[in-house]
Amino acid sequence: MLNNLFEPVTKLKGVGPKTAAALESLSIYSVYDLLFYFPYRYDDLEMIPLDQLNDGQKVLLKGIVATEPFVSRFGYKKSRLSFKLRIDHDIIMVNFFNQPWLKNQLEVGKEVAVYGKYNLAKQSLSGFKFVAAKNEESSLSPVYPVNRHIKQKKLVELIKLALAQKNELMDIVPENIRQKYRLMNDQELVEKMHEPKSPNEAKLAKRSAIFREFFIFQIQLALLTMRPQGRLGTAKKYDLNEIKKLTATLPFELSDDQKKVVNEIFADLHREKQMRRLLQGDVGSGKTVVAVFAIYAAITAGYQAALMVPTEILANQHFGKIAELLRPFGVRIALLTSSTKAMEKREIYRELADGTLNVVIGTHALIQPSLKFKNLGLVIIDEQHRFGVNQRQKLMIKGENPDLLAMTATPIPRTLALTAYGEMDVSEIRHLPAGRKPIVSEWVTSTHLDQVLAKIKEQLSQGFQIYVVTPLIEESENIDLKNAKELCLKLQSYFNHEKVVLLHGQMSGEDKDQIMTDFSEGNIDILVATSVIEVGVDVPNANMMVIFDADRFGLSQLHQLRGRIGRGRTESFCYFVADPKTDIGKKRMEIISSTSNGFKLSEEDLKLRGQGDLFGKAQSGIPEFRLGDLVNDYNTMVVAQNVARQLVKADPDLMENSALKEVVDYSQKVKEID
Ligand code: ADP
Ligand code: MG
């Protein structure tokens, strides 16, 4: 029924392949997409008398060009076009920067309307654009996100064309829900998003549009998870006696939280439904051993397991630990990374395919298409936020609906996780295993570096090892690397009897491993590292960390880094060296040095910045929304989730909601093209 609207944009008058291609770059494929391509702001073109204007106010001013427009050029490609504008009896100065061609549209005596920013002291207007002098019934002018392929003006035109078809829209949110939550229907919503009569109308329309966006998302999730065919898996009959033997060989007792999570996982494995579980637990909370239990259970039930981690260092370390725990039980386990030698790799491929191997631990090397399993029943992704959903999926399809355990040391508040990941059940290890000594954290400015150096000296003299971390951010990689090298040299000369070594991301996997091995065996005293040590590394004798330029890291990244220490039996120390310039920067340093609870940190982080930053786009697996914001619009998301679940429960195939079904199918299709 909505079919007309789903037709390609080329159906519109005057839209050819070239415009269509430009629109595609904005993910606009159909008339429907145009209708739901919303402005990100509105310029208020209301005319306000000069004497009522505030400094910095954006405003539309109409007047007569009073002097010959003049273009002055300065610097490289910079220019200013200026002229005087007479508004009744007043004269103001108008400047357009870097748009010299606008001069052609001007002549003395001509009436123009300029939209721009008013400078009260100088009585001048910094112009943004000329506006067609004739005014429509609303003073609000929508501004759409565009790119270099398509101009604002063109897009406005096309959306106007599309709006002529808006009465073909059918409502997808049930009427009773719309009434209950005072939401606009689709026609009204679309009209008011594009052509609001007042800021308030735009605001109300946006509220409805956000709900609609979340609603579609939640319907998709509900279809995925609530229908039995959405999550078919296999029931794994694991051997509890074997599990008990494994428990008996552990050098420690599982913490209460660990026990609870292991039980949740076992219940999932036992069920026919596919497990999709997210395990959140702070650095050092002991997620690895939980994974070992899951792996061994799957093996005793006759399945293979795969554990994927983001870095080679981590893969090596996990392999060492897990092999030690499981080999005594006859488990056959292999390590596969990009540095695995060709011959060994072939052997691993063969033994995974014929079932000789029970477990493989590895990096992205695991998602190579030619790698096959005999019967992969369990997929574990460690540090899952470092992988995209697609990468995860590439490993999942190597088995027949294998169970999935995703682990992360970057916890997000539980409620948020439940709605954002939607299709995942959430387990948490909230408390560290007993007997851990807290980490003493301190923020110091670079003027107090001597204090830090003295502390390093003290700890070294007691036989401890030190991490020194310095940022290496992709955009400024070369400068950062140079800084890291210099820092290493400085420390070498300052502590001239000690062994100071640099570890950075551009080194070969072999070199990195060698250094990490040396460090963990105690042959290196100070390890100067860029953030490659971020995840997983476990060297209990390293009890101190100094993080330089700490304000260049995100809160959760700092927390991850700090998690490398505090693993031994003694007190440990973390120094954040930073001279933040902004209030938020200072606040972050205060927060990180005052709490070491990852769950608490993530909540604080949320408060300080929006969802986008926190999750780090695309990496998180958390969907991005065009209008809605998971943090600010959280309550709307919860309502959308409830409504969607009830609806899918009552009508699992959306038979009674054909318009909704069409829209959901269509958005799925678009997502796949994108
Ligand atoms: P993470 O959750 O960061 O992956 P790990 O699994 O690496 O943490 O565990 C950190 C350290 O804690 C390891 O050395 C591990 O052996 C140890 N550990 C795990 N569980 C316990 C426990 N219940 N009691 C004592 N130590 C434990
Ligand atoms: Mg870990």
Side-chain angles (χ1 to χ4, degrees):
M1 267 162 292
L2 286 158
N3 286 344
N4 271 334
L5 295 178
F6 293 144
E7 300 229 14
V9 279
T10 43
K11 289 277 151 167
L12 287 173
K13 214 174 64 194
V15 176
K18 212 173 141 213
T19 310
L23 288 171
E24 234 168 71
S25 70
L26 300 174
S27 299
I28 298 173
Y29 305 94
S30 65
V31 178
Y32 173 90
D33 293 334
L34 272 172
L35 287 173
F36 286 93
Y37 194 81
F38 294 137
Y40 67 95
R41 66 176 161 91
Y42 305 89
D43 288 338
D44 193 345
L45 302 185
E46 194 191 348
M47 309 246 210
I48 301 172
L50 276 183
D51 56 6
Q52 289 173 26
L53 283 179
N54 298 317
D55 186 44
Q57 188 169 354
K58 288 180 191 155
V59 67
L60 181 73
L61 294 177
K62 200 154 79 175
I64 309 279
V65 179
T67 58
E68 191 63 40
F70 179 74
V71 176
S72 46
R73 297 185 183 265
F74 49 97
Y76 177 66
K77 280 188 175 171
K78 288 190 177 153
S79 72
R80 180 178 56 212
L81 163 68
S82 10
F83 58 91
K84 287 184 176 159
L85 185 72
R86 187 193 347 266
I87 304 169
D88 298 330
H89 300 294
D90 295 305
I91 294 247
I92 65 157
M93 196 70 198
V94 178
N95 300 305
F96 275 94
F97 290 94
N98 308 322
Q99 302 182 68
W101 57 87
L102 290 177
K103 180 170 188 269
N104 300 333
Q105 301 179 18
L106 298 167
E107 59 192 75
V108 176
K110 185 178 170 183
E111 187 184 58
V112 291
V114 190
Y115 182 71
K117 191 170 168 180
Y118 188 66
N119 183 319
L120 187 65
K122 291 186 178 157
Q123 299 236 324
S124 70
L125 190 72
S126 180
F128 299 150
K129 62 181 179 189
F130 289 114
V131 178
K134 193 166 74 72
N135 235 337
E136 292 155 31
E137 53 181 310
S138 164
S139 63
L140 292 184
S141 153
V143 182
Y144 296 91
V146 285
N147 58 25
R148 65 195 162 84
H149 301 293
I150 191 159
K151 289 216 165 69
Q152 187 70 229
K153 211 170 135 195
K154 179 82 189 165
L155 192 59
V156 171
E157 241 173 72
L158 293 171
I159 287 173
K160 274 230 156 70
L161 273 181
L163 278 170
Q165 272 173 266
K166 70 168 190 291
N167 51 6
E168 289 172 41
L169 282 169
M170 316 244 308
D171 294 322
I172 61 165
V173 179
E175 171 145 25
N176 61 332
I177 301 298
R178 265 191 289 121
Q179 273 170 6
K180 183 166 171 195
Y181 296 101
R182 291 170 289 110
L183 300 166
M184 296 175 186
N185 68 25
D186 279 9
Q187 288 187 27
E188 190 184 358
L189 175 164
V190 160
E191 180 189 318
K192 294 188 170 157
M193 280 301 286
H194 294 292
E195 299 176 337
K197 297 220 168 51
S198 67
N200 193 44
E201 208 172 83
K203 207 172 115 195
L204 290 176
K206 186 170 174 193
R207 175 177 172 274
S208 299
I210 289 173
F211 182 87
R212 187 184 184 279
E213 182 177 35
F214 285 168
F215 178 67
I216 294 172
F217 168 72
Q218 289 291 349
I219 288 280
Q220 283 168 333
L221 280 184
L223 289 175
L224 200 70
T225 55
M226 292 177 61
R227 293 190 305 181
Q229 66 267 39
R231 266 178 77 168
L232 219 53
T234 45
K236 298 186 175 60
K237 300 200 172 49
Y238 52 84
D239 185 341
L240 203 54
N241 277 324
E242 287 298 313
I243 304 290
K244 280 187 184 143
K245 285 189 210 157
L246 173 62
T247 314
T249 63
L250 287 182
F252 46 74
E253 201 194 333
L254 291 185
S255 70
D256 289 348
D257 282 358
Q258 283 171 320
K259 282 183 197 159
K260 188 169 136 257
V261 175
V262 167
N263 282 327
E264 286 168 345
I265 291 170
F266 280 9
D268 285 350
L269 292 177
H270 211 88
R271 241 176 253 134
E272 189 149 355
K273 206 168 138 189
Q274 181 184 37
M275 167 165 84
R276 301 182 78 87
R277 187 165 286 281
L278 174 72
L279 170 54
Q280 305 200 106
D282 230 328
V283 256
S285 62
K287 296 184 291 296
T288 315
V289 67
V290 170
V292 170
F293 274 92
I295 290 169
Y296 194 45
I299 293 173
T300 65
Y303 291 87
Q304 290 172 300
L307 168 60
M308 184 160 71
V309 301
T311 65
E312 216 161 307
I313 294 178
L314 197 51
N316 280 322
Q317 196 176 286
H318 272 348
F319 176 72
K321 276 195 194 167
I322 296 175
E324 190 183 310
L325 284 170
L326 291 183
R327 273 197 179 134
F329 297 94
V331 169
R332 309 232 1 181
I333 176 167
L335 172 70
L336 183 65
T337 68
S338 51
S339 340
T340 307
K341 297 272 172 346
M343 227 171 60
E344 197 187 343
K345 187 173 139 188
R346 259 200 305 278
E347 177 101 347
I348 293 173
Y349 271 49
R350 192 168 49 73
E351 295 193 342
L352 282 173
D354 70 15
T356 313
L357 278 171
N358 307 110
V359 195
V360 65
I361 293 173
T363 53
H364 298 80
L366 295 182
I367 60 181
Q368 291 307 311
S370 55
L371 178 72
K372 303 220 157 53
F373 288 81
K374 180 147 188 262
N375 60 346
L376 177 64
L378 173 66
V379 167
I380 303 181
I381 315 275
D382 196 12
E383 308 296 342
Q384 75 101 30
H385 60 286
R386 304 274 300 255
F387 292 97
V389 181
N390 291 341
Q391 291 172 319
R392 189 169 90 189
Q393 202 51 29
K394 280 186 185 150
L395 186 52
M396 291 291 282
I397 56 171
K398 292 182 189 291
E400 246 176 82
N401 303 320
D403 286 321
L404 169 70
L405 177 64
M407 307 199 290
T408 178
T410 313
I412 57 174
R414 183 190 176 80
T415 43
L416 194 57
L418 281 174
T419 33
Y421 289 106
E423 89 280 18
M424 303 272 251
D425 297 308
V426 179
S427 289
E428 290 176 350
I429 304 180
R430 287 197 82 101
H431 304 284
L432 300 185
R436 289 278 165 80
K437 286 272 192 305
I439 302 172
V440 178
S441 295
E442 201 175 324
W443 163 31
V444 292
T445 57
S446 51
T447 47
H448 290 86
L449 210 55
D450 44 342
Q451 177 194 334
V452 177
L453 292 173
K455 189 74 186 177
I456 294 182
K457 207 159 226 165
E458 177 197 300
Q459 292 304 304
L460 284 175
S461 72
Q462 294 178 27
F464 294 113
Q465 291 160 279
I466 321 277
Y467 291 106
V468 171
V469 181
T470 164
L472 195 152
I473 314 289
E474 235 171 86
E475 302 93 70
S476 50
E477 204 169 293
N478 289 329
I479 302 171
D480 283 346
L481 189 56
K482 193 162 150 263
N483 288 343
K485 283 179 179 160
E486 271 168 19
L487 179 64
C488 186
L489 285 175
K490 268 188 211 150
L491 290 171
Q492 273 165 352
S493 70
Y494 191 88
F495 298 104
N496 57 3
H497 296 299
E498 320 291 345
K499 196 149 183 250
V500 185
V501 172
L502 178 68
L503 174 75
H504 65 80
Q506 292 176 8
M507 290 173 156
S508 72
E510 247 167 77
D511 288 351
K512 281 191 251 179
D513 288 348
Q514 189 54 50
I515 292 175
M516 279 325 293
T517 310
D518 283 349
F519 189 65
S520 59
E521 286 173 356
N523 302 326
I524 293 175
D525 299 304
I526 301 180
L527 183 68
V528 180
T530 59
S531 50
V532 285
I533 52 149
E534 184 187 343
V535 280
V537 177
D538 190 18
V539 182
N541 191 51
N543 79 332
M544 175 168 175
M545 177 176 283
V546 182
I547 305 178
F548 281 90
D549 290 325
D551 52 336
R552 288 180 64 194
F553 293 101
L555 266 187
S556 55
Q557 211 181 2
L558 289 173
H559 181 58
Q560 295 279 316
L561 285 167
R562 179 172 56 187
R564 301 303 119 230
I565 57 171
R567 296 181 165 239
R569 310 206 170 281
T570 55
E571 202 173 33
S572 16
F573 307 90
C574 190
Y575 288 91
F576 301 95
V577 183
D579 309 301
K581 304 265 180 301
T582 63
D583 283 348
I584 289 198
K586 285 176 193 151
K587 184 92 199 182
R588 281 168 54 218
M589 289 304 112
E590 277 161 19
I591 293 172
I592 188 73
S593 51
S594 64
T595 177
S596 54
N597 178 321
F599 287 90
K600 208 170 148 204
L601 271 171
S602 80
E603 277 154 27
E604 294 290 340
D605 211 3
L606 262 185
K607 279 187 217 152
L608 281 185
R609 46 186 187 163
Q611 127 210 19
D613 274 352
L614 177 70
F615 302 126
K617 277 190 192 156
Q619 288 203 327
S620 60
I622 290 196
E624 281 177 58
F625 297 97
R626 279 193 178 168
L627 292 174
D629 175 297
L630 267 176
V631 178
N632 295 323
D633 306 313
Y634 176 69
N635 292 330
T636 308
M637 181 61 106
V638 173
V639 174
Q641 184 176 46
N642 289 335
V643 172
R645 286 190 170 168
Q646 273 169 31
L647 195 143
V648 171
K649 203 164 159 198
D651 181 12
D653 295 306
L654 304 182
M655 304 284 269
E656 333 238 302
N657 294 276
S658 57
L660 176 59
K661 181 160 178 24
E662 282 180 59
V663 166
V664 166
D665 289 347
Y666 179 75
S667 357
Q668 191 63 38
K669 234 176 18 205
V670 169
K671 216 188 277 169
E672 278 158 22
I673 310 173
D674 278 354

